[in-house]
Amino acid sequence: MLKNLLPLLLFWLLPACVFAQSAYPSAMPTMTITAADGQESEETEYEGSAPINALFCAHPENVGSYTPYYEWRFSRQGEEKPFLTRYEEETTYVFKESGAFLIELYISFVEGTDTIEYEMDSPFMVNISESKLEVPNAFTPNGDGVNDVFKVKEGYQSIVSFEATVFNRWGKKLYSWKDLDGGWDGKSGGSNVPDGAYYLLIKAKGADGKNYDIKKTINILRGYTEAAGKN
C-alpha cells in the first residue's frame, strides 16, 4: 500500500519544493524624484535641472530568515569608483551638480554560512543639465497682468543658489529676493517707485560650478501697454 502511495506523495511534494527553491531573497528598488517645483515622480531614468531630491528604496522581498546588507553606490558616468556609498535600506540624496550619475544597489542576504547576492539588472540614471540664467532689461508694472513683476526669464535651469537685489540711483536698497520664481513688483515700502532706471545685482551659482555676478540697469515703464504694444 505504501509503495503505491509513494509516487502520489512525490507528485504533491514536488510543487512545494520547487516553490521553496524559487522564493529566494530579492528586491524591487525604486527611485522617487522630487523636483524643485515639489512634483514627485517614480523614475528609472531622470533628466532635469538641479537641485533635485531623490529617494532610493530597496523594497526587499522573500527575506525570510536572511539578514540583508545594503550597499548603494553613487558614481559619475564613465568613472568606475563611486564618489558615495550608503548602507541603508532607504537613502536620500540631493543632486546639486551637473553631469550624468549612476546609482546601483547591491544586497547580500546572509543566513549563517549561506549568502545570496542581489544586483540590479541596470542602474538608475540621473542627468543634471548645465546651468542657465537670464534676466530682462525692463518691466511694466501697470496692472495689465502682463510683465507686471520683474523676475528672471523662464527657462532657467540648474541654479542651486540665488539672490537678487534692486537699488535706486543713490544706492538705496529697495527690494531683494532669494526665490527664483520670485520678483519685484516695482514698489518700495508699499508705494510705487517712479518710472526710470534702477540698479540690479544678482549673485547666483549653477550646478556646473558657474558663478553668476550680474550687474545691470533695469527700467520701469508703466506707460507702456504690452497688450497694445505701444506707449
Side-chain angles (χ1 to χ4, degrees):
M1 182 69 176
L2 181 59
K3 183 177 180 180
N4 294 331
L5 288 176
L6 185 59
L8 184 61
L9 289 172
L10 289 175
F11 174 80
W12 286 107
L13 287 175
L14 182 59
C17 293
V18 171
F19 176 79
Q21 291 175 0
S22 64
Y24 291 125
S26 186
M28 292 288 290
T30 58
M31 175 177 71
T32 303
I33 298 293
T34 303
D37 60 2
Q39 295 294 318
E40 289 188 0
S41 60
E42 188 173 304
E43 310 283 354
T44 56
E45 297 183 10
Y46 178 83
E47 183 172 352
S49 174
I52 64 156
N53 189 297
L55 169 65
F56 300 93
C57 301
H59 297 297
E61 297 181 334
N62 304 318
V63 175
S65 57
Y66 286 84
T67 300
Y69 295 92
Y70 305 97
E71 185 175 326
W72 295 94
R73 299 178 187 175
F74 296 74
S75 59
R76 287 183 175 271
Q77 193 170 40
E79 298 181 1
E80 293 185 5
K81 186 177 180 180
F83 65 86
L84 177 67
T85 304
R86 297 275 181 80
Y87 300 97
E88 303 91 359
E89 181 178 341
E90 297 185 2
T91 189
T92 59
Y93 185 78
V94 180
F95 292 88
K96 295 182 178 180
E97 298 180 359
S98 61
F101 301 87
L102 304 177
I103 302 91
E104 299 175 276
L105 172 63
Y106 296 86
I107 309 175
S108 294
F109 295 96
V110 179
E111 182 186 23
T113 58
D114 184 21
T115 300
I116 297 175
E117 301 289 350
Y118 168 84
E119 181 179 345
M120 295 174 65
D121 293 332
S122 58
F124 294 125
M125 298 187 65
V126 175
N127 197 328
I128 302 298
S129 60
E130 294 183 350
S131 64
K132 178 182 178 181
L133 181 65
E134 297 176 336
V135 294
N137 297 316
F139 70 119
T140 58
N142 51 23
D144 67 354
V146 181
N147 202 22
D148 283 333
V149 178
F150 180 87
K151 55 175 61 179
V152 300
K153 291 183 177 181
E154 293 183 2
Y156 66 83
Q157 57 189 28
S158 292
I159 301 298
V160 295
S161 66
F162 171 86
E163 183 173 9
T165 308
V166 176
F167 303 87
N168 64 15
R169 68 182 67 184
W170 296 283
K172 179 183 177 182
K173 178 180 176 180
L174 302 179
Y175 191 74
S176 66
W177 67 99
K178 295 183 179 181
D179 182 356
L180 278 161
D181 292 323
W184 182 42
D185 61 2
K187 295 182 179 181
S188 178
S191 301
N192 289 335
V193 301
D195 282 17
Y198 293 85
Y199 187 69
L200 173 71
L201 173 64
I202 290 181
K203 296 280 189 180
K205 185 175 182 179
D208 49 6
K210 182 177 180 179
N211 291 310
Y212 292 84
D213 189 7
I214 300 174
K215 301 174 182 177
K216 65 182 300 181
T217 299
I218 60 174
N219 292 278
I220 291 180
L221 306 171
R222 287 191 179 84
Y224 184 86
T225 303
E226 305 247 1
K230 61 183 181 180
N231 290 325

